[in-house]
């Protein structure tokens, strides 16, 4: 066997692969990362661009909200200059599936995790305040609104800056380099081939997002994958709305964001089963119509057609159960135990908002194979290499509970609903005691300017 040039070769430079390359390079490993297009140009670019905990996961997957808020805090500290605090208004109307008190309970629970990512506590607004804050919002039936905040990030830039950080730490970066083969010998993966060039490595990490199953196939491995596609409609006007919105969608089952940003005003996403080949993922007219109807029902004069659309596919790995209960948790697959292919790992699932800890888990697994005891340090340095300073002492969720609930979607939902039920009783008592303020526009402006 010829000597290995790299400890690690990473396939894919979306935000996950870029994170893996950075983590590995900072541990002193010799690493190369290959990307067939531009960094972050695929799913990462098609995301809603929020570093968030996922407030709605509190309804069925509480530990993911916890885990994501926890890692988002690290991302805020390491990439602060890329992030903008975005206040988001959730207007509640007569006839909505979830009434004001239920939605406020949700945010009282979210407030428990918000400090992990420097989020501010929620506010409840009068209907008049909501109408003044969001001109054009329909008044009829409006009961009030809740306000919370998340971080907006140019997602592609986050991936590119993470990759630059990896390169600065010694990683070799090959863009426009599609991997067309995984090198194998005697049941081991030995690296990759791109454009006729071979890069040999002790460990190969498949971080190719919704393409993970196709890349795994190159090595003769298989992955249990479901692809869920998500479309956004884009209006070029960066400020069609002055604040973010989270709206109950037309089907009353889902919620869609309206996100004003330097990239335009985005409305979405949808969440539908997509084709098994991510290259065939397209926005369909029914998705566009669904999103349009979902936003137009709240506004007197929303334009009929977007300026453009963008679509991406979420890889959901190895999960049983109904689509509405699918967890956004991530997974590291070791193909040695799964398929008898040593030296090959796949990292997938998860969110941009926990890409740092996903990368750390993948490199931990790689280090176990390499016999390296080097520990991850990505949380201690900003993307441009400065120390982050003090790290607050928040704990991630219990790993044992997470593993136990992983393959039990109904139990996961019960766990979430149990917490919400208890919180609702407490909220009702606090509301009866006059302890839940309802605020006006001035209170919002004092906080968010
Ligand atoms: C509609 C939608 C909205 C979302 N919104 C949010 C959000 O607001 N916040 C959040 O935290 N998360 C969000 N997510 C999830 C988030 O986008 C993903 O978790 C994250 O972007 C995944 O990054 P990735 O690097 O794993 O995948 P990708 O960004 O897809 O990167 C994989 C890379 O692998 C490359 N690749 C594939 N095959 C090969 C090959 N053979 N050779 C070389 N390179 C290859 C691809 O070109 C691609 O760049 C959203 C997802 C979707 C679909």
């Amino acid at each position: 066997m010829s000597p290995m040039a790299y400890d690690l070769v990473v396939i894919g430079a979306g935000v996950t692969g870029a994170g893996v390359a950075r983590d590995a390079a900072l541990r002193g490993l010799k690493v190369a990362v290959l990307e067939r297009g531009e960094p972050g140009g695929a799913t990462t670019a098609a995301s809603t661009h929020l570093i968030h905990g996922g407030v709605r996961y509190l309804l069925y997957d509480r530990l993911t909200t916890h885990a994501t808020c926890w890692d988002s805090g690290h991302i805020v500290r390491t990439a602060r200059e890329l992030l903008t605090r975005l206040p988001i208004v959730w207007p509640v109307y007569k006839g909505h599936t979830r009434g004001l008190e239920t939605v406020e309970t949700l945010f009282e629970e979210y407030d428990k995790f918000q400090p992990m990512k420097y989020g501010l506590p929620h506010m409840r607004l009068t209907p008049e305040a909501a109408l003044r804050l969001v001109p054009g919002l329909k008044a009829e039936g409006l009961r009030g609104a809740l306000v919370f905040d998340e971080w907006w990030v140019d997602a592609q830039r986050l991936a590119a800056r993470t990759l630059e950080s990896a390169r600065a730490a010694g990683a070799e970066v090959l863009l426009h380099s599609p991997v067309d083969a995984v090198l194998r010998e005697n049941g081991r993966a030995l690296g990759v081939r791109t454009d006729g060039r071979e890069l040999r490595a002790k460990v190969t990490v498949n971080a190719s997002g919704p393409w993970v199953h196709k890349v795994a196939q190159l090595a003769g491995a298989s992955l249990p994958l479901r692809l869920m596609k998500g479309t956004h409609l884009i209006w070029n006007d960066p400020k069609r709305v002055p604040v973010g919105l989270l709206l109950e969608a037309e089907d009353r089952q889902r919620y869609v964001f309206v996100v004003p940003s330097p990239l335009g005003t985005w409305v979405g996403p949808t969440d539908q089963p997509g084709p098994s080949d991510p290259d065939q993922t397209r926005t369909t007219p029914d998705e566009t119509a669904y999103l349009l109807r979902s936003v137009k029902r709240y506004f007197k004069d929303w334009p009929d057609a977007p300026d453009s659309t963008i679509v991406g596919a979420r890889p959901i790995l190895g999960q049983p159960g109904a689509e509405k209960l699918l967890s956004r948790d991530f997974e590291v697959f070791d193909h040695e135990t799964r398929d008898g292919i040593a030296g090959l790992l796949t990292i997938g699932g998860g969110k941009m908002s926990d890409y740092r800890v996903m990368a750390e888990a993948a490199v931990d697994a790689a280090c176990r194979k390499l016999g390296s005891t080097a520990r991850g340090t990505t949380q201690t340095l900003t993307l441009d290499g400065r120390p982050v300073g003090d790290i607050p002492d928040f704990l991630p969720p219990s790993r044992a509970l997470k593993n136990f609930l992983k393959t039990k979607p109904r139990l996961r939902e019960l766990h979430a609903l149990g917490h919400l039920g208890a919180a609702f009783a407490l909220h009702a008592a606090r509301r009866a005691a006059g302890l839940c303020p309802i605020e006006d526009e001035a209170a919002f402006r004092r906080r968010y300017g």
Side-chain angles (χ1 to χ4, degrees), residues 1 38 40 50 57 91 99 119 126 192 222 290 292 323 335:
M1 196 190 292
E38 293 291 331
L50 297 177
Y57 306 144
T126 62
V192 299
S222 64
Y290 167 81
L292 263 176
E323 272 150 24
H335 292 283

Side-chain angles (χ1 to χ4, degrees), residues 89-381:
V89 174
W90 176 329
V92 179
Y93 286 77
K94 182 171 178 247
H96 268 185
T97 304
R98 295 187 173 86
L100 265 178
E101 304 310 332
T102 308
V103 178
E104 186 161 19
T105 302
L106 207 56
F107 283 108
E108 283 173 352
E109 286 300 281
Y110 199 46
D111 288 347
K112 294 179 180 166
F113 302 112
Q114 277 282 41
M116 294 180 174
K117 65 177 192 58
Y118 306 90
L120 301 175
H122 81 280
M123 298 172 80
R124 177 158 161 181
L125 297 180
T126 62
E128 297 74 28
L131 292 170
R132 275 196 292 274
L133 274 176
V134 190
L137 195 65
K138 280 187 184 158
E140 196 188 334
L142 183 62
R143 289 281 161 86
L146 279 301
V147 179
F148 63 114
D149 58 53
E150 306 289 13
W151 296 101
W152 184 86
V153 66
D154 179 336
Q156 221 176 324
R157 205 160 151 236
L158 178 65
R161 290 287 298 276
T162 303
L163 203 58
E164 276 168 33
S165 172
R167 200 199 303 256
E172 189 174 332
V173 177
L174 288 88
L175 299 179
H176 307 289
S177 302
V179 167
D180 55 33
V182 173
L183 309 175
R184 284 187 62 185
E185 216 171 273
N186 302 327
R188 277 197 75 82
L190 297 174
V192 299
R193 190 184 66 203
T194 179
D195 290 336
R197 178 182 167 193
E198 291 188 351
L199 285 87
R200 296 173 76 83
K202 294 174 192 152
V203 177
T204 301
V205 179
N206 172 11
S208 56
W211 288 270
V212 280
H213 58 318
K214 296 183 91 175
V215 167
Q217 273 164 15
L218 294 177
S222 64
L223 279 169
L225 182 77
R226 296 161 82 170
L227 290 179
M228 298 293 290
K229 69 168 171 163
T231 283
H232 289 90
L233 309 183
I234 303 174
W235 280 268
N236 293 339
D237 179 355
K239 285 247 171 235
R240 267 219 68 78
V241 282
V243 292
L245 293 166
L246 187 55
L247 303 174
E248 186 181 284
E250 184 214 27
D251 56 8
R252 304 185 55 207
Q253 304 296 315
R254 299 193 60 259
Y255 293 87
V256 295
F257 282 104
V258 181
V259 177
S261 80
L263 302 179
T265 298
W266 289 40
V267 173
T270 52
D271 192 15
Q272 299 184 349
S276 58
D277 181 354
D279 290 313
Q280 300 306 320
T281 307
R282 306 273 185 275
T283 296
T284 46
D286 62 300
E287 281 181 284
T288 304
Y290 167 81
L291 290 175
L292 263 176
R293 285 195 302 269
S294 292
V295 68
K296 278 172 86 75
R297 66 205 281 257
Y298 293 93
F299 286 92
K300 291 172 239 164
D301 55 355
W302 194 274
D304 281 330
D307 295 309
S308 58
T309 63
I310 188 165
V311 66
R314 307 172 182 84
I316 309 287
L317 285 150
Q319 282 187 55
E323 272 150 24
K324 91 173 178 73
L325 298 180
L326 289 176
S327 170
R328 297 290 190 247
D329 199 3
F330 67 86
E331 181 98 39
V332 180
F333 287 95
D334 183 340
H335 292 283
E336 183 165 10
T337 44
R338 276 184 65 82
D339 309 286
I341 303 167
L344 178 65
L345 299 169
T346 289
I347 172 81
K351 306 271 300 167
M352 173 171 66
S353 303
D354 59 359
Y355 86 98
R356 192 211 61 87
V357 74
M358 286 175 71
E360 188 172 82
V363 182
D364 282 349
C367 280
R368 284 193 289 277
K369 294 193 171 298
L370 293 166
S372 164
T373 53
R375 295 176 69 94
T377 56
T378 50
Q379 75 281 19
T380 63
L381 292 171

Side-chain angles (χ1 to χ4, degrees), residues 60 322 324-325 405 407-416:
Y60 61 93
K324 91 173 178 73
L325 298 180
L405 293 176
T407 53
K408 304 175 184 73
R410 287 282 165 212
L411 214 53
R412 213 162 48 216
E413 186 183 29
L414 277 179
H415 169 257

